[in-house]
Amino acid sequence: MFKSLSRFLLPLVMLCTATTAMAADAVIDNKDPYALVKAVANKTFDRFHQDKALIDAEPDHLKIIVREELMPYIDYRYASYKVLGQYLKDSSEDQRNRFVTAFEGYLVSTYAQAFTEYTNQKVEFFPGVDFRNEKIVDVNVQIIEAGRPPIKLQFKARRLKDDSWKAFDLVAEGVSLLSSKQSEISNLIRQQGIDAVITMLDERTKDKITKPTKSGKLAS
């Protein structure tokens, strides 16, 4: 029932592909949301190159890379609560905690699958703005590919209590990943209940990562 997120996540993979000029061991500046997005993308894709042999042997290794390099900078708890929407207040503490864990795993699996489909597009970062008094900022990015219109993206990041920043949403051509998932998951919770949705997310997390074939279709 959960539709593919590749239309949202593939641009993120393109972003990672295009930032390899940065130092592999660069320190992540989590006090600057614009620097954060660039550095995390670079670090994640650098790990992808380092572990290529492991990935070729076992594509599920991509989940390890995503969990270790990308997820520490994703505010998945906040994203999970946004996705729950109106059902957040109706859930128990145990249900909320289990939903957050299940949604994090689902994101890891989905990001990992998207990493099997990367290509070498050009990425342009728009200049950052003064964020000293901001709680949420948009990191604007444009994906350039010959013969196609540019893809406009916004990585949304929020300031935490310790003044650090984490990303929590991706908007592709005006369509929010979180809004899309909130609508879908809200419908499922209404129909089947939150516990059933948690189980479904857990099942999705267990899906094996599948390499695409040369034709572009996923191998069976």
Side-chain angles (χ1 to χ4, degrees):
M1 289 187 179
F2 290 93
K3 299 176 182 177
S4 171
L5 299 185
S6 60
R7 66 180 292 240
F8 292 100
L9 301 182
L10 190 53
L12 172 64
V13 179
M14 296 174 190
L15 174 66
C16 296
T17 307
T19 54
T20 54
M22 297 177 65
D25 58 351
V27 175
I28 303 296
D29 181 6
N30 63 6
K31 304 296 185 181
D32 181 334
Y34 303 98
L36 175 73
V37 170
K38 291 183 182 180
V40 170
N42 175 71
K43 195 168 184 288
T44 303
F45 198 73
D46 184 72
R47 175 75 180 276
F48 176 86
H49 277 297
Q50 290 178 10
D51 291 4
K52 185 178 184 304
L54 292 172
I55 296 166
D56 288 343
E58 177 48 73
D60 262 26
H61 184 70
L62 283 167
K63 292 182 181 181
I64 296 175
I65 296 175
V66 170
R67 189 172 290 281
E68 293 180 353
E69 306 295 351
L70 182 62
M71 293 308 291
Y73 307 98
I74 302 294
D75 194 348
Y76 58 84
R77 178 173 291 275
Y78 180 78
S80 298
Y81 285 178
K82 294 282 285 185
V83 166
L84 276 175
Q86 68 186 74
Y87 296 101
L88 178 63
K89 67 179 184 301
D90 298 326
S91 61
S92 68
E93 181 178 359
D94 176 68
Q95 287 175 321
R96 288 193 294 273
N97 289 336
R98 287 189 293 115
F99 183 87
V100 168
T101 299
F103 191 71
E104 179 200 14
Y106 172 61
L107 286 179
V108 168
S109 183
T110 309
Y111 278 126
Q113 184 62 57
F115 267 92
T116 67
E117 305 179 43
Y118 80 92
T119 52
N120 289 304
Q121 283 85 353
K122 179 182 178 182
V123 176
E124 293 181 354
F125 286 91
F126 287 80
V129 299
D130 186 353
F131 58 88
R132 286 175 294 180
N133 297 319
E134 302 296 330
K135 293 183 178 180
I136 292 179
V137 302
D138 296 332
V139 182
N140 291 293
V141 180
Q142 187 167 252
I143 308 295
I144 307 296
E145 184 174 6
R148 295 186 178 183
I151 301 173
K152 295 181 180 179
L153 307 173
Q154 288 181 336
F155 292 87
K156 289 188 172 293
R158 64 187 293 261
R159 188 193 298 271
L160 307 184
K161 291 181 179 180
D162 64 357
D163 211 35
S164 66
W165 291 80
K166 283 189 175 183
F168 69 92
D169 193 13
L170 171 62
V171 179
E173 294 295 339
V175 181
S176 162
L177 169 62
L178 281 189
S179 294
S180 174
K181 289 293 99 183
Q182 180 181 4
S183 176
E184 185 176 350
I185 288 177
S186 291
N187 287 335
L188 289 170
I189 293 176
R190 182 173 62 254
Q191 295 168 8
Q192 303 179 31
I194 188 171
D195 290 319
V197 172
I198 291 170
T199 298
M200 294 170 67
L201 288 170
D202 284 336
E203 290 173 352
R204 288 282 176 161
T205 298
K206 296 174 185 176
D207 286 349
K208 300 289 288 184
I209 302 303
T210 310
K211 293 181 180 180
T213 63
K214 291 183 179 179
S215 65
K217 296 181 179 180
L218 294 179
S220 57

